[in-house]
Amino acid sequence: MAVERESVDTSEAEIAVHWGEENYVYPSAEFIAQANMTDPSVFDRFSLENFPNCFKEYADLLSWYEYWQTTLDTSDAPCWKWFVGGKINASYNCIDRHLAKNRNKTAIHFAPEPVGEKYEHITYQELYVRVNEFAALLRDFAGLKKGDRVTLHMPMVPELPITMLACARLGVIHSQVFGGFSGKACADRIVDSQSRVLITMDAYWRSGHLIDHKHGADIACDLAGKDGQKVDKVLIWQRYPGKASSPTAMVKGRDYFVNEELNKYYGARIEPERMSAEAPLFLMYTSGTTGKPKGCQHSTGGYLAYVTGTSKYVQDIHPEDVYWCMADIGWITGHSYIVYGPLALCASTVIFEGVPTFPDAGRAWKIAQDLNVNIFHTAPTTIRALRKIGPDEPAKYKFKFKHMTTVGEPIEPEVWRWYHEVVGKGTAAIVDTWWQTETGGFLCSTLPAIKPMKAGSTGPGVPGIHPIIFDENAKEIPRGAGKAGNICIQNPWPGAFQTIWGDRDRFVRTYYERYCKNPKSKDWRDWPYLTGDAAVEAPDGYYRILGRIDDVINVSGHRLGTKEIESAAMTVAEVAEAAVVPVKHDVKGIEPDLYIALKPGFKASEALEKKISDAVCSEIGKIAKPRRVWLVKDMPKTRSGKIMRRVLASISNKKDVGDVTTLANPEIVEDIRKMSK
Ligand code: WTA
């Protein structure tokens, strides 16, 4: 069956802590009084009987040039088309339509990492001007037009959303690569998306260092060129316009400083392209179970409607709110819930350049106090880190969150309680949002004013999302049975990605083949969407997510494929075999442990361990750095020669390895266990 599953013999879900059901915690009357959604009948309106027309409510939050005729077109199942016939522009919806009433309102608050640098407050008018001028540059200088792809490799600075919105204005498909990814990872994405323009920044601040980022662009262009994709132009924003912050030389005829070129487009205004609702807005690459990342293709109309609707009702964003999501825009969370959702709602969104624990444990709370942030959004890994270094810090600052989000991994009830009591000062409503790069927006969460919170549970499906749990034999696990299985979504929804860029077969195989009832069917009921997570549903309809069931791991909330890390290790000449397993970590959630068998004739050494670890960092990025590189004599294998990652995972997690007598080389298990003691 599915190629993508063949090799899974251990997964995150198996090492998950299966905590129990906690008691309900209720939102305050104060929160409910101001909430956007307080009507429990929303769940009837968004029931399966009212599907797909219920999503008109979300589409109507947007401004359309031409209203759509068909809510959902299933003729090319499972590539669903939403709001067909509609014409819309995302940049217009995030900027222009707010100008008449809110020109002077802050769209983006930028918090630079150096404490001595002032905040920047970009109004909607200024955002409009900067996006238009840069769109003119993209069109007239870089020659980009509707449907072209362009790769962005940018840090957390306002120029990133400006670039995204300028692309959206022209109908150019942006593909932002997380700034922390290496030049090599960027090259792979340039090649896959066939980008001939790369947009980057010369440098950015991280933990007190001004990091040379332009260097990555040179590697990316070089490697992409070798792989058949020439980059004609590299557009480089300068962290300090007019000042060189990177020692890397400019390549003549290829590299251009944006701020120098921009002068030529002073005062330019670009009419937004009237895009079909189903025209792609962006690609977001994500790790899958093979070494090759998948370009998740998101639509314009469906995606924007979904992130706007969920931002309004799940995150409770009002135009007057100051909203801070600490994710990186290089991940889907940042696209949906820093840029597109909040700006479509005319809120003020905060962009923070650096790490929230630098220079001290109070940094995040100082920013919250300074900017009067009232909605806060972050990942459990960050909450754990902030708690570890400064459990009492939040109390020292005068901020008051009305609402807080967590995303990316399961949150331990104990950590949840600290978040609620200390960060939320006992009054903020919390939503634990479960979703994925592929899904564009939230799948499960409580609705903050309607459903009580439950620590450690994500909650029920959000309006219009109908989860179902199947067992290994495609039998539905009865609702509320409290039994673990593979969580799927029964119905399509507008935020879902349209396909994997250039690889429809892989899209169908990975997400739909497993539980598809009839591959010829054009009826959405036959195509449950496989999320790749294990979950249990409690009798009250709340889900607890246990973790991935495949070769994907979540390291500090960053999604990585174990196969990607293994392929990176295999680039080292001495390596014969590589196996990555997930290990539990008290702050990062999960860390990768890397087991290596060397080719005959090579000796284990610390230098070699470092060489392999460095190779992983340069192939993928520092975020993928293994906890340890274990150079083992041999891998534990089945008689048919398959590496038993499950055994390695048990050793790494100090768990019982179980019965290994059926292995081809059972004696090696004890050897490896002794090493890791
Ligand atoms: C995990 C991030 C538990 C899950 C938006 C999913 C979660 C993967 C939660 C997607 C949560 C995300 N509770 N697990 N609230 N949110 N996950 O694509 O395993 O970077 O499949 O999207 O993160 O990661 P991705």
Side-chain angles (χ1 to χ4, degrees):
M1 154 92 239
V3 174
E4 301 255 328
R5 301 177 44 232
E6 247 170 26
S7 59
V8 183
D9 67 357
T10 187
S11 73
E12 245 185 38
E14 283 158 20
I15 63 159
V17 179
H18 299 218
W19 50 76
E21 295 291 326
E22 295 276 320
N23 293 328
Y24 287 142
V25 176
Y26 290 86
S28 67
E30 190 190 354
F31 179 83
I32 295 169
Q34 60 81 59
N36 279 327
M37 179 58 75
T38 51
D39 175 8
S41 77
V42 63
F43 289 103
D44 299 328
R45 294 204 304 281
F46 281 80
S47 66
L48 276 177
E49 289 77 66
N50 294 327
F51 180 86
N53 297 334
C54 51
F55 283 109
K56 180 179 184 320
E57 261 187 58
Y58 285 4
D60 286 348
L61 297 171
L62 303 178
S63 307
W64 297 81
Y65 296 117
E66 278 173 43
Y67 205 68
W68 40 278
Q69 294 113 30
T70 312
T71 315
L72 174 65
D73 174 354
T74 64
S75 60
D76 189 27
C79 295
W80 319 116
K81 293 192 187 74
W82 284 89
F83 310 129
V84 180
K87 291 269 195 285
I88 189 162
N89 185 282
S91 180
Y92 178 88
N93 272 275
C94 291
I95 309 171
D96 306 42
R97 67 170 178 155
H98 306 317
L99 295 178
K101 286 203 185 118
N102 287 298
R103 199 175 290 283
N104 294 323
K105 193 185 153 173
T106 299
I108 296 171
H109 292 286
F110 175 53
E113 195 194 73
V115 180
E117 272 181 40
K118 288 208 168 70
Y119 294 104
E120 200 182 324
H121 310 280
I122 300 172
T123 61
Y124 274 94
Q125 171 66 18
E126 191 181 347
L127 185 62
Y128 172 75
V129 169
R130 291 176 69 175
V131 165
N132 271 278
E133 292 178 354
F134 190 56
L137 185 156
L138 291 178
R139 188 188 66 184
D140 299 342
F141 180 69
L144 290 167
K145 53 178 196 315
K146 189 156 128 177
D148 288 348
R149 280 81 54 208
V150 53
T151 298
L152 283 48
H153 190 206
M154 295 191 56
M156 281 291 284
V157 289
E159 287 80 358
L160 174 50
I162 287 170
T163 302
M164 291 160 65
L165 292 164
C167 290
R169 202 162 186 89
L170 299 171
V172 169
I173 304 167
H174 58 75
S175 168
Q176 153 71 2
V177 177
F178 170 57
F181 272 138
S182 66
K184 166 71 167 64
C186 184
D188 293 344
R189 289 152 177 79
I190 289 173
V191 173
D192 191 75
S193 63
Q194 301 134 303
S195 302
R196 44 173 205 81
V197 175
L198 171 65
I199 306 175
T200 187
M201 182 166 259
D202 59 351
Y204 64 96
W205 289 98
R206 195 152 182 88
S207 298
H209 303 284
L210 185 61
I211 295 177
D212 172 15
H213 189 60
K214 160 71 168 56
H215 176 63
D218 293 339
I219 297 174
C221 293
D222 186 36
L223 295 174
K226 286 190 181 135
D227 218 351
Q229 182 61 43
K230 183 164 182 283
V231 177
D232 304 331
K233 279 200 169 69
V234 180
L235 304 178
I236 304 158
W237 292 93
Q238 286 182 298
R239 176 63 178 78
Y240 299 99
K243 200 178 137 205
S245 301
S246 158
T248 323
M250 297 287 277
V251 175
K252 205 163 178 288
R254 187 196 74 183
D255 297 354
Y256 299 91
F257 286 128
V258 171
N259 34 287
E260 285 171 9
E261 299 303 321
L262 257 184
N263 295 331
K264 300 173 195 154
Y265 300 95
Y266 171 74
R269 298 291 179 262
I270 301 285
E271 188 56 30
E273 280 286 332
R274 301 181 173 214
M275 304 299 292
S276 302
E278 69 269 29
L281 177 63
F282 66 87
L283 305 180
M284 168 65 62
Y285 282 83
T286 190
S287 298
T289 59
T290 67
K292 189 174 186 275
K294 308 175 270 201
C296 293
Q297 175 185 317
H298 282 283
S299 72
T300 306
Y303 170 82
L304 197 64
Y306 196 69
V307 299
T308 306
T310 47
S311 292
K312 179 159 180 169
Y313 300 123
V314 179
Q315 304 236 68
D316 202 56
I317 298 179
H318 298 56
E320 53 277 15
D321 288 327
V322 181
Y323 166 85
W324 183 15
C325 170
M326 248 174 11
D328 194 290
I329 299 175
W331 305 103
I332 192 69
T333 302
H335 273 48
S336 301
Y337 299 115
I338 297 179
V339 180
Y340 286 112
L343 294 180
L345 291 172
C346 195
S348 301
T349 191
V350 177
I351 293 181
F352 173 48
E353 179 178 30
V355 282
T357 48
F358 181 86
D360 55 50
R363 186 68 202 272
W365 318 125
K366 180 171 184 295
I367 293 171
Q369 169 175 290
D370 289 347
L371 298 174
N372 204 25
V373 172
N374 67 341
I375 306 183
F376 186 66
H377 184 160
T378 193
T381 183
T382 309
I383 303 171
R384 291 184 213 112
L386 289 166
R387 177 183 181 217
K388 192 167 177 183
I389 64 163
D392 306 318
E393 282 300 299
K396 299 180 189 160
Y397 296 85
K398 291 187 203 61
F399 62 85
K400 185 168 184 260
F401 298 147
K402 69 165 183 177
H403 179 290
M404 306 193 299
T405 300
T406 122
V407 63
E409 347 147 44
I411 182 166
E412 300 80 354
E414 185 207 340
V415 177
W416 190 97
R417 275 189 281 278
W418 181 78
Y419 196 36
H420 186 245
E421 282 152 28
V422 181
V423 181
K425 306 189 175 178
T427 59
I430 295 185
V431 294
D432 177 343
T433 59
W434 167 68
W435 60 296
Q436 314 176 302
T437 304
E438 293 88 338
T439 70
F442 305 142
L443 293 176
C444 282
S445 165
T446 51
L447 273 189
I450 302 178
K451 298 258 179 190
M453 303 164 249
K454 186 157 63 166
S457 289
T458 168
V462 296
I465 299 291
H466 302 277
I468 184 167
I469 302 181
F470 289 115
D471 69 13
E472 290 299 318
N473 306 313
K475 246 186 94 208
E476 183 180 341
I477 293 179
R479 298 220 48 182
K483 205 168 151 268
N486 300 334
I487 185 166
C488 296
I489 310 299
Q490 299 179 58
N491 58 295
W493 66 98
F497 70 142
Q498 302 173 291
T499 187
I500 295 175
W501 177 258
D503 202 347
R504 188 186 199 270
D505 284 352
R506 187 178 180 195
F507 169 73
V508 178
R509 204 167 63 228
T510 311
Y511 301 98
Y512 291 99
E513 188 177 76
R514 180 127 185 221
Y515 293 117
C516 177
K517 293 170 197 143
N518 168 12
K520 294 221 168 60
S521 173
K522 304 291 174 205
D523 185 341
W524 57 264
R525 291 170 192 81
D526 293 325
W527 294 93
Y529 166 80
L530 177 73
T531 64
D533 280 324
V536 288
E537 185 188 6
D540 59 2
Y542 281 41
Y543 294 90
R544 264 181 297 139
I545 304 298
L546 305 175
R548 303 284 313 189
I549 56 170
D550 53 15
D551 290 327
V552 171
I553 53 175
N554 253 307
V555 180
S556 300
H558 296 325
R559 177 166 159 184
L560 296 168
T562 54
K563 289 280 177 291
E564 268 174 283
I565 303 176
E566 290 169 9
S567 318
M570 298 291 285
T571 62
V572 175
E574 294 89 335
V575 173
E577 289 176 308
V580 167
V581 296
V583 193
K584 281 204 72 65
H585 183 271
D586 66 347
V587 174
K588 296 178 174 181
I590 291 209
E591 269 191 316
D593 233 3
L594 175 54
Y595 288 87
I596 298 286
L598 296 174
K599 287 181 187 155
F602 292 106
K603 270 221 175 77
S605 68
E606 264 179 40
L608 197 47
E609 283 172 19
K610 181 164 184 306
K611 186 171 168 192
I612 296 166
S613 179
D614 288 350
V616 173
C617 297
S618 70
E619 288 284 308
I620 304 172
K622 281 215 180 84
I623 50 164
K625 190 178 156 88
R627 174 182 79 138
R628 275 288 307 263
V629 177
W630 305 101
L631 301 177
V632 298
K633 272 195 235 144
D634 196 5
M635 298 283 190
K637 284 186 183 157
T638 60
R639 295 219 167 98
S640 60
K642 203 173 123 172
I643 301 176
M644 288 299 285
R645 289 178 176 73
R646 188 167 45 77
V647 171
L648 296 172
S650 301
I651 296 174
S652 285
N653 288 290
K654 307 219 175 314
K655 280 166 81 174
D656 182 11
V657 292
D659 181 11
V660 294
T661 52
T662 58
L663 294 186
N665 52 353
E667 69 289 349
I668 198 71
V669 176
E670 197 43 38
D671 264 19
I672 300 177
R673 224 158 57 91
K674 276 194 202 128
M675 272 178 81
S676 67
K677 264 191 184 148

